[in-house]
Amino acid sequence: MGDSLNNDQAGRAAAVSSSVSRLSLEEKQAEAASASPQRQHWTALDGDVSPSSSSSMTTKELQEYWRAVKSQRKPVKLLFEIPSTRTVEHYPFRYVVYKIVIIKSGSYDDKKVSIERRYTDFERLHQNLLKDFSEELEDLLFPRKRMTCNFTQENINERRMAFQEYLGALYGMKCIRRSEAFMAFFTHPELKEAHGCLRGGQYAKALGLLVQINDLQEKLTQHSPALRVPTLCALLVCHKDLEDITSACQVGEEALSLLPRNKRHRYKCALLDTLVDLGYELGHDVTHLQEELSEIKEAQKMQTAQLSLKELVVQEFVD
């Protein structure tokens, strides 16, 4: 009888304890449910809530967590500064030129590159981007000209700062910073000038322009380094015609390193041909270059003469 009573009391105690535990759990769940969505959002962003730190997260909570993580912008890797402007007067025209400095953030940048652009260049960029990214640009205000007093120092400084913020906002959007229009804004005017000099036999002047463009492209094309290949090939041609064979070979090898061995590229055969010739002049072993060139020619069944590297380069940016 005594043993039966003790067992019965123990059972009731266990039931009470279980009920208390369930109540406590329900209270905690209710408290969590009543927390504001904003608080939950910032908790997730601050890293206080994560799959590893909270095993009680529901599927919906996990989905909201990862959505919040993915929505965060990645740190900007480039900075765009417009430290100065100058007013140009060519009667009857008058306009402001903005100096743009492109800097790598997060580390010392020993290759700061600067370019100059007019208001009309920014305007053209914006119009070109609107063709493909109208939704992305809905909330981005483009700095407008004033009806009067456009050339007062106060208004020029206001536009200078607005353009600096504008470029930073554009770069913050992955689809735009990788677009052809964005790249063209920073490089095409100088590339056109450089190729014009090259076609005119002004190799030293072209070389100076191309070195700066290559430094700028190196910053802008981290997502697709092969975009630098045409510029590097133009540098190779300049060095070669200036009889600097060693430098020509170095930039050529850099260009080749950016092209995957098993992928086609319009410059690849001509580049390999040129590197073989330069290698012979420098006494290098060119066996690996010849083998790759043979593989490409066999795969593409080339029977007609191909354009030389210089012929390919001079065809770029012909109006």
Side-chain angles (χ1 to χ4, degrees):
M1 173 78 70
D3 290 342
S4 176
L5 182 60
N6 288 338
N7 289 338
D8 187 41
Q9 289 175 341
R12 285 199 296 272
V16 170
S17 176
S18 177
S19 298
V20 170
S21 296
R22 281 199 304 273
L23 181 60
S24 178
L25 178 60
E26 288 169 0
E27 287 174 347
K28 288 180 180 179
Q29 289 174 339
E31 183 182 351
S34 65
S36 69
Q38 185 179 16
R39 171 59 190 157
Q40 292 174 359
H41 171 73
W42 285 111
T43 301
L45 289 183
D46 293 339
D48 294 336
V49 177
S50 68
S52 60
S53 64
S54 179
S55 59
S56 63
M57 291 177 72
T58 65
T59 301
K60 184 178 179 181
E61 287 171 341
L62 281 169
Q63 289 173 342
E64 288 175 352
Y65 168 79
W66 288 118
R67 193 178 297 117
V69 170
K70 289 178 181 178
S71 69
Q72 295 181 83
R73 280 192 173 183
K74 293 181 180 180
V76 176
K77 294 181 180 179
L78 290 184
L79 298 176
F80 301 90
E81 294 182 357
I82 304 181
S84 62
T85 63
R86 61 187 179 91
T87 301
V88 178
E89 297 194 40
H90 290 310
Y91 185 81
F93 303 107
R94 188 184 187 197
Y95 55 88
V96 176
V97 174
Y98 300 84
K99 180 181 180 180
I100 307 169
V101 182
I102 300 93
I103 309 168
K104 273 186 181 180
S105 65
S107 61
Y108 175 71
D109 188 354
D110 61 348
K111 292 183 180 180
K112 292 181 183 178
V113 184
S114 65
I115 56 174
E116 289 188 327
R117 294 293 182 266
R118 297 172 54 177
Y119 183 94
T120 52
D121 296 318
F122 283 97
E123 196 171 39
R124 189 180 304 111
L125 167 65
H126 194 70
Q127 292 303 318
N128 288 337
L129 289 173
L130 282 173
K131 295 174 185 176
D132 298 315
F133 307 107
S134 57
E135 290 186 10
E136 288 82 355
L137 296 175
E138 274 182 350
D139 300 324
L140 183 60
L141 294 177
F142 181 78
R144 300 294 179 188
K145 281 185 176 180
R146 294 178 180 270
M147 296 299 292
T148 59
C149 304
N150 257 318
F151 295 96
T152 64
Q153 196 58 48
E154 181 182 355
N155 285 338
I156 290 173
N157 281 335
E158 184 180 316
R159 255 195 323 274
R160 176 179 65 82
M161 294 302 297
F163 276 135
Q164 184 170 294
E165 292 178 7
Y166 172 76
L167 290 177
L170 290 181
Y171 185 78
M173 291 180 267
K174 184 192 228 179
C175 59
I176 289 181
R177 70 171 174 263
R178 295 186 176 186
S179 68
E180 184 178 348
F182 189 75
M183 300 283 184
F185 171 80
F186 288 96
T187 60
H188 276 200
E190 287 74 18
L191 280 170
K192 288 179 180 178
E193 183 182 358
H195 281 78
C197 292
L198 198 154
R199 283 189 289 272
Q202 297 175 282
Y203 301 116
K205 185 176 180 181
L207 182 65
L209 290 165
L210 289 166
V211 166
Q212 180 173 330
I213 296 164
N214 182 54
D215 288 343
L216 178 52
Q217 286 181 328
E218 190 175 358
K219 298 173 190 287
L220 293 169
T221 62
Q222 296 175 36
H223 65 285
S224 182
L227 292 172
R228 292 172 50 214
V229 169
T231 300
L232 288 168
C233 288
L235 278 167
L236 185 160
V237 169
C238 288
H239 282 304
K240 189 170 182 288
D241 284 329
L242 290 169
E243 299 182 352
D244 185 353
I245 305 302
T246 301
S247 295
C249 191
Q250 287 174 347
V251 295
E253 288 173 347
E254 183 180 359
L256 186 63
S257 72
L258 301 179
L259 298 174
R261 187 182 177 98
N262 59 343
K263 288 190 178 180
R264 296 178 63 175
H265 191 281
R266 61 195 177 94
Y267 272 86
K268 197 165 191 179
C269 276
L271 177 59
L272 284 166
D273 260 330
T274 303
L275 284 173
V276 168
D277 292 341
L278 293 173
Y280 277 132
E281 288 190 54
L282 294 169
H284 294 172
D285 180 9
V286 296
T287 306
H288 63 293
L289 298 174
Q290 291 173 319
E291 288 176 354
E292 186 172 358
L293 184 58
S294 297
E295 288 175 10
I296 294 173
K297 288 183 175 180
E298 185 178 347
Q300 298 178 13
K301 298 180 180 179
M302 294 182 177
Q303 296 177 349
T304 57
Q306 300 298 303
L307 293 176
S308 69
L309 189 66
K310 187 171 183 178
E311 288 171 333
L312 284 171
V313 167
V314 298
Q315 289 181 1
E316 299 280 2
F317 298 98
V318 178
D319 294 329

